Amino acid sequence: MKTTKSPIHNSVNTMFVPVSDLQTSAKWYSDLLGQEFNPSEVEEPVYNMKIDHYTGVLLDSGPPNEKQKVTPSAHPLFNFHTDDIDASYQYIKELEYSITSNITRFEDLSFFTIKDPDGNIIMICTG
């Protein structure tokens, strides 16, 4: 088998999250991450989240002037990292977000899952 150097980088650049209501989802994700939210900064059809890392999160509502039909994933699309799983779980409860699993604990990581406004499963995870 011939091996060639790939022109594709070995890193994830941006995760696209399909959403049906960009304003609602932008606020939901902003609140989740403790970011200030300014509705006037949300312009269809995409909202680029302010992420403190090189991997971005882009909320995508699809073609302009069309309500996108989203088929939610039954499995986590990605995770947001936390250093304190218990404080994160409590924070999600205070936001009254839909929690879809209790905290699962392993020796080197812990996680729980939540649903975004379109029903996509998002994991909150240590490790």
Short mmCIF file of all heavy atoms in Angstrom, two decimals, residues 58-90:
data_model
loop_
_atom_site.label_atom_id
_atom_site.label_comp_id
_atom_site.label_asym_id
_atom_site.label_seq_id
_atom_site.Cartn_x
_atom_site.Cartn_y
_atom_site.Cartn_z
N LEU A 58 -20.09 25.89 15.08
CA LEU A 58 -20.88 26.73 14.19
C LEU A 58 -22.31 26.21 14.17
O LEU A 58 -22.54 25.07 13.79
CB LEU A 58 -20.30 26.71 12.78
CG LEU A 58 -20.94 27.66 11.79
CD1 LEU A 58 -20.44 29.08 12.05
CD2 LEU A 58 -20.61 27.25 10.37
N LEU A 59 -23.25 27.01 14.63
CA LEU A 59 -24.67 26.65 14.57
C LEU A 59 -25.17 27.01 13.18
O LEU A 59 -24.97 28.12 12.72
CB LEU A 59 -25.45 27.40 15.65
CG LEU A 59 -24.93 27.25 17.08
CD1 LEU A 59 -25.78 28.08 18.03
CD2 LEU A 59 -24.89 25.80 17.50
N ASP A 60 -25.80 26.06 12.52
CA ASP A 60 -26.18 26.23 11.11
C ASP A 60 -27.67 25.97 10.94
O ASP A 60 -28.14 24.86 11.14
CB ASP A 60 -25.37 25.24 10.27
CG ASP A 60 -25.65 25.35 8.78
OD1 ASP A 60 -26.44 26.22 8.37
OD2 ASP A 60 -25.07 24.55 8.02
N SER A 61 -28.42 27.02 10.57
CA SER A 61 -29.87 26.88 10.40
C SER A 61 -30.27 26.57 8.96
O SER A 61 -31.45 26.58 8.64
CB SER A 61 -30.59 28.14 10.89
OG SER A 61 -30.26 29.24 10.09
N GLY A 62 -29.30 26.28 8.10
CA GLY A 62 -29.62 25.88 6.73
C GLY A 62 -29.84 27.05 5.80
O GLY A 62 -29.48 28.19 6.11
N PRO A 63 -30.45 26.78 4.65
CA PRO A 63 -30.65 27.83 3.65
C PRO A 63 -31.44 29.02 4.19
O PRO A 63 -32.39 28.83 4.96
CB PRO A 63 -31.44 27.12 2.55
CG PRO A 63 -31.17 25.67 2.75
CD PRO A 63 -30.98 25.49 4.23
N PRO A 64 -31.04 30.24 3.81
CA PRO A 64 -31.77 31.42 4.26
C PRO A 64 -33.25 31.35 3.89
O PRO A 64 -33.62 30.80 2.86
CB PRO A 64 -31.08 32.57 3.52
CG PRO A 64 -29.73 32.05 3.18
CD PRO A 64 -29.90 30.57 2.95
N ASN A 65 -34.08 31.86 4.77
CA ASN A 65 -35.53 31.96 4.58
C ASN A 65 -36.24 30.61 4.51
O ASN A 65 -37.35 30.52 4.01
CB ASN A 65 -35.87 32.79 3.33
CG ASN A 65 -35.27 34.17 3.41
OD1 ASN A 65 -35.31 34.81 4.47
ND2 ASN A 65 -34.68 34.63 2.33
N GLU A 66 -35.57 29.55 4.98
CA GLU A 66 -36.20 28.23 5.06
C GLU A 66 -35.98 27.69 6.46
O GLU A 66 -34.88 27.76 6.98
CB GLU A 66 -35.56 27.25 4.07
CG GLU A 66 -35.84 27.52 2.62
CD GLU A 66 -35.21 26.46 1.72
OE1 GLU A 66 -35.03 25.31 2.16
OE2 GLU A 66 -34.88 26.81 0.58
N LYS A 67 -37.03 27.16 7.07
CA LYS A 67 -36.87 26.53 8.38
C LYS A 67 -36.30 25.14 8.15
O LYS A 67 -36.91 24.31 7.49
CB LYS A 67 -38.19 26.46 9.13
CG LYS A 67 -38.02 25.86 10.51
CD LYS A 67 -39.16 26.25 11.41
CE LYS A 67 -39.01 25.61 12.76
NZ LYS A 67 -38.50 26.48 13.77
N GLN A 68 -35.12 24.91 8.69
CA GLN A 68 -34.45 23.63 8.50
C GLN A 68 -35.10 22.56 9.38
O GLN A 68 -35.37 22.79 10.55
CB GLN A 68 -32.97 23.77 8.87
CG GLN A 68 -32.19 22.49 8.78
CD GLN A 68 -30.70 22.71 8.82
OE1 GLN A 68 -30.07 22.50 7.82
NE2 GLN A 68 -30.15 23.14 9.94
N LYS A 69 -35.35 21.40 8.79
CA LYS A 69 -35.85 20.26 9.57
C LYS A 69 -34.62 19.52 10.07
O LYS A 69 -33.78 19.09 9.30
CB LYS A 69 -36.69 19.34 8.69
CG LYS A 69 -37.27 18.18 9.47
CD LYS A 69 -38.16 17.31 8.60
CE LYS A 69 -38.84 16.28 9.47
NZ LYS A 69 -38.34 14.95 9.32
N VAL A 70 -34.53 19.41 11.39
CA VAL A 70 -33.38 18.77 12.01
C VAL A 70 -33.77 17.39 12.53
O VAL A 70 -34.77 17.25 13.23
CB VAL A 70 -32.83 19.63 13.18
CG1 VAL A 70 -31.70 18.93 13.90
CG2 VAL A 70 -32.37 20.99 12.65
N THR A 71 -33.00 16.40 12.14
CA THR A 71 -33.17 15.06 12.69
C THR A 71 -32.11 14.89 13.75
O THR A 71 -30.93 14.76 13.44
CB THR A 71 -33.01 13.99 11.59
OG1 THR A 71 -33.94 14.26 10.54
CG2 THR A 71 -33.24 12.60 12.15
N PRO A 72 -32.51 14.94 15.03
CA PRO A 72 -31.50 14.92 16.09
C PRO A 72 -30.76 13.59 16.16
O PRO A 72 -31.31 12.54 15.86
CB PRO A 72 -32.30 15.17 17.36
CG PRO A 72 -33.72 14.94 17.03
CD PRO A 72 -33.85 15.04 15.55
N SER A 73 -29.53 13.68 16.57
CA SER A 73 -28.72 12.50 16.79
C SER A 73 -29.13 11.86 18.11
O SER A 73 -29.34 12.56 19.11
CB SER A 73 -27.24 12.89 16.84
OG SER A 73 -26.47 11.79 17.27
N ALA A 74 -29.21 10.54 18.14
CA ALA A 74 -29.53 9.83 19.37
C ALA A 74 -28.27 9.60 20.21
O ALA A 74 -28.35 9.11 21.33
CB ALA A 74 -30.17 8.48 19.04
N HIS A 75 -27.14 9.95 19.66
CA HIS A 75 -25.85 9.76 20.33
C HIS A 75 -25.16 11.12 20.44
O HIS A 75 -25.41 12.01 19.63
CB HIS A 75 -24.99 8.78 19.55
CG HIS A 75 -25.68 7.48 19.31
ND1 HIS A 75 -25.82 6.52 20.29
CD2 HIS A 75 -26.30 6.99 18.22
CE1 HIS A 75 -26.49 5.50 19.80
NE2 HIS A 75 -26.80 5.75 18.55
N PRO A 76 -24.26 11.27 21.41
CA PRO A 76 -23.57 12.55 21.55
C PRO A 76 -22.86 12.96 20.26
O PRO A 76 -22.17 12.15 19.64
CB PRO A 76 -22.57 12.30 22.67
CG PRO A 76 -23.14 11.17 23.45
CD PRO A 76 -23.86 10.30 22.45
N LEU A 77 -23.05 14.22 19.87
CA LEU A 77 -22.36 14.76 18.70
C LEU A 77 -20.93 15.12 19.06
O LEU A 77 -20.02 14.99 18.24
CB LEU A 77 -23.08 16.01 18.21
CG LEU A 77 -24.49 15.84 17.69
CD1 LEU A 77 -25.11 17.20 17.36
CD2 LEU A 77 -24.47 14.96 16.44
N PHE A 78 -20.73 15.62 20.27
CA PHE A 78 -19.43 16.06 20.76
C PHE A 78 -19.57 16.30 22.25
O PHE A 78 -20.65 16.14 22.80
CB PHE A 78 -18.95 17.34 20.04
CG PHE A 78 -19.93 18.47 20.12
CD1 PHE A 78 -19.92 19.34 21.20
CD2 PHE A 78 -20.85 18.68 19.10
CE1 PHE A 78 -20.83 20.38 21.28
CE2 PHE A 78 -21.76 19.72 19.17
CZ PHE A 78 -21.75 20.58 20.26
N ASN A 79 -18.47 16.68 22.89
CA ASN A 79 -18.57 17.02 24.30
C ASN A 79 -17.96 18.38 24.57
O ASN A 79 -17.09 18.83 23.84
CB ASN A 79 -17.96 15.94 25.20
CG ASN A 79 -16.45 15.96 25.21
OD1 ASN A 79 -15.83 16.92 25.65
ND2 ASN A 79 -15.83 14.90 24.75
N PHE A 80 -18.45 19.00 25.62
CA PHE A 80 -17.83 20.19 26.17
C PHE A 80 -17.11 19.73 27.44
O PHE A 80 -17.65 18.96 28.23
CB PHE A 80 -18.86 21.27 26.52
CG PHE A 80 -19.39 21.99 25.32
CD1 PHE A 80 -20.72 21.88 24.97
CD2 PHE A 80 -18.56 22.79 24.54
CE1 PHE A 80 -21.22 22.56 23.86
CE2 PHE A 80 -19.06 23.46 23.44
CZ PHE A 80 -20.39 23.35 23.09
N HIS A 81 -15.89 20.21 27.62
CA HIS A 81 -15.06 19.80 28.75
C HIS A 81 -15.43 20.57 30.02
O HIS A 81 -15.82 21.73 29.96
CB HIS A 81 -13.58 20.06 28.43
CG HIS A 81 -12.68 19.68 29.55
ND1 HIS A 81 -12.35 18.38 29.82
CD2 HIS A 81 -12.06 20.43 30.49
CE1 HIS A 81 -11.56 18.34 30.87
NE2 HIS A 81 -11.37 19.58 31.30
N THR A 82 -15.29 19.88 31.15
CA THR A 82 -15.43 20.51 32.46
C THR A 82 -14.39 19.92 33.39
O THR A 82 -14.00 18.75 33.23
CB THR A 82 -16.83 20.32 33.06
OG1 THR A 82 -16.89 21.00 34.31
CG2 THR A 82 -17.17 18.85 33.28
N ASP A 83 -13.93 20.71 34.34
CA ASP A 83 -13.04 20.20 35.38
C ASP A 83 -13.84 19.74 36.59
O ASP A 83 -13.32 19.02 37.44
CB ASP A 83 -12.03 21.29 35.81
CG ASP A 83 -11.03 21.61 34.72
OD1 ASP A 83 -10.61 20.68 34.00
OD2 ASP A 83 -10.67 22.79 34.58
N ASP A 84 -15.11 20.16 36.69
CA ASP A 84 -15.94 19.84 37.86
C ASP A 84 -17.30 19.33 37.37
O ASP A 84 -18.21 20.11 37.08
CB ASP A 84 -16.10 21.08 38.74
CG ASP A 84 -16.80 20.79 40.06
OD1 ASP A 84 -17.56 19.80 40.14
OD2 ASP A 84 -16.58 21.58 41.00
N ILE A 85 -17.42 18.02 37.29
CA ILE A 85 -18.64 17.41 36.75
C ILE A 85 -19.85 17.70 37.62
O ILE A 85 -20.95 17.93 37.12
CB ILE A 85 -18.45 15.88 36.53
CG1 ILE A 85 -19.51 15.32 35.57
CG2 ILE A 85 -18.43 15.12 37.84
CD1 ILE A 85 -19.35 15.71 34.15
N ASP A 86 -19.67 17.73 38.95
CA ASP A 86 -20.80 17.97 39.85
C ASP A 86 -21.32 19.40 39.74
O ASP A 86 -22.52 19.63 39.68
CB ASP A 86 -20.41 17.63 41.29
CG ASP A 86 -20.10 16.15 41.45
OD1 ASP A 86 -20.99 15.33 41.16
OD2 ASP A 86 -18.97 15.82 41.85
N ALA A 87 -20.40 20.37 39.68
CA ALA A 87 -20.81 21.77 39.52
C ALA A 87 -21.48 21.96 38.16
O ALA A 87 -22.46 22.70 38.04
CB ALA A 87 -19.61 22.70 39.66
N SER A 88 -20.99 21.28 37.13
CA SER A 88 -21.58 21.39 35.80
C SER A 88 -22.99 20.81 35.78
O SER A 88 -23.90 21.39 35.19
CB SER A 88 -20.71 20.67 34.77
OG SER A 88 -19.45 21.28 34.70
N TYR A 89 -23.17 19.68 36.43
CA TYR A 89 -24.49 19.05 36.50
C TYR A 89 -25.48 19.98 37.21
O TYR A 89 -26.61 20.18 36.75
CB TYR A 89 -24.38 17.71 37.23
CG TYR A 89 -25.60 16.84 37.13
CD1 TYR A 89 -25.77 15.99 36.04
CD2 TYR A 89 -26.58 16.84 38.12
CE1 TYR A 89 -26.88 15.16 35.94
CE2 TYR A 89 -27.70 16.03 38.02
CZ TYR A 89 -27.84 15.20 36.93
OH TYR A 89 -28.96 14.39 36.84
N GLN A 90 -25.04 20.57 38.30
CA GLN A 90 -25.89 21.51 39.05
C GLN A 90 -26.24 22.74 38.19
O GLN A 90 -27.38 23.21 38.18
CB GLN A 90 -25.21 21.94 40.36
CG GLN A 90 -26.07 22.81 41.23
CD GLN A 90 -27.38 22.15 41.65
OE1 GLN A 90 -27.43 20.96 41.94
NE2 GLN A 90 -28.46 22.92 41.65
#
